[in-house]
Amino acid sequence: MNKPVLSPSDQISATIARLRDLSQLSIQPGWRYYDGDLPLVDTLNPGNWQHWALGTVNDRDHHPWVKGRMVRWFSQIVKVPQDLNGFPLEGLCLRLALLWWAEEAQVYVNGKLVQEGDLFDCAPRLLLSSDVQAGDEFAIALRFVSPNHDDGALMKSACHYEAPSPNHPPEPAFVADELAVLHSYLETFQPDQLDTLATALSQ
């Protein structure tokens, strides 16, 4: 059966997605959760997390919970792999990118409070390591309070492996972001050039 022929724009989008997959990894599927508060000594102890419920995302890839200023904790141990889809990660810096819908938010890494936020301060990119090695582990705990008027949600969580300095070759996701800007420009102002870009990217 013949594969469908992609339009130049779809070819470019597919290339951008493949590049992002080389240095960015969603960790949305891996969260466990606990509803309500416990003493910090318990909630920040990774040995207790195995007893928490394993979260499931909805059709929007969100982890929701009920409105009414209800507390939900999320926990996950992030382990650095050797590579992402063949792209080596050693020596890169690692940032945790989060997006939430919560009236109150606290982010703990390895037992230490590193970030607080709310409904408006809701999209941090937290430096976990400036020089990762395969096997490095980070114990992440998130405490959220849902808005009184609306369900809460952990909407995004991802590991971004990035160049540690301007002198380092850019990581694939950086190249993807630049291509995305060019793609958007061409779609808007020079659609006749999309085929040229798609052909160049296929070389």
Side-chain angles (χ1 to χ4, degrees):
M1 185 175 181
N2 293 330
K3 292 183 178 180
V5 177
L6 296 177
S7 68
S9 187
D10 287 342
Q11 292 177 48
I12 296 166
S13 294
T15 299
I16 290 170
R18 286 196 300 272
L19 284 169
R20 289 203 172 113
D21 285 344
L22 295 176
S23 57
Q24 294 183 352
L25 177 66
S26 171
I27 58 171
Q28 279 289 84
W31 294 102
R32 291 184 175 272
Y33 71 90
Y34 180 88
D35 286 328
D37 262 330
L38 291 169
L40 277 181
V41 67
D42 294 326
T43 49
L44 299 181
N45 180 359
N48 294 330
W49 297 348
Q50 61 183 323
H51 304 297
W52 295 12
L54 185 61
T56 55
V57 296
N58 61 17
D59 57 2
R60 301 175 67 186
D61 200 33
H62 294 175
H63 286 277
W65 75 101
V66 296
K67 64 184 178 182
R69 294 189 51 79
M70 302 300 291
V71 174
R72 174 167 286 193
W73 282 87
F74 290 94
S75 65
Q76 183 170 173
I77 296 177
V78 171
K79 186 173 183 178
V80 176
Q82 188 76 36
D83 61 73
L84 278 184
N85 297 306
F87 183 76
L89 302 177
E90 187 169 319
L92 297 180
C93 75
L94 170 58
R95 295 184 186 276
L96 175 66
L98 298 170
L99 179 63
W100 60 68
W101 184 245
E103 189 170 296
E104 297 176 23
Q106 291 90 37
V107 181
Y108 295 85
V109 178
N110 296 334
K112 296 181 178 179
L113 178 64
V114 298
Q115 182 76 32
E116 295 186 90
D118 53 30
L119 290 171
F120 304 101
D121 184 7
C122 60
R125 295 178 72 255
L126 306 170
L127 180 66
L128 298 184
S129 173
S130 57
D131 182 11
V132 299
Q133 307 298 314
D136 287 351
E137 291 188 353
F138 305 91
I140 313 297
L142 313 173
R143 180 186 180 273
F144 295 136
V145 178
S146 63
N148 199 47
H149 65 288
D150 198 6
D151 290 347
L154 174 57
M155 302 162 68
K156 175 184 175 184
S157 56
C159 289
H160 290 188
Y161 294 91
E162 301 176 346
S165 73
N167 297 324
H168 192 281
E171 74 281 357
F174 177 87
V175 178
D177 290 342
E178 296 297 300
L179 280 175
V181 172
L182 178 58
H183 184 200
S184 178
Y185 175 85
L186 293 180
E187 282 190 315
T188 303
F189 298 107
Q190 292 183 284
D192 58 307
Q193 293 299 311
L194 287 170
D195 189 60
T196 301
L197 178 57
T199 300
L201 293 176
S202 69
Q203 302 300 317

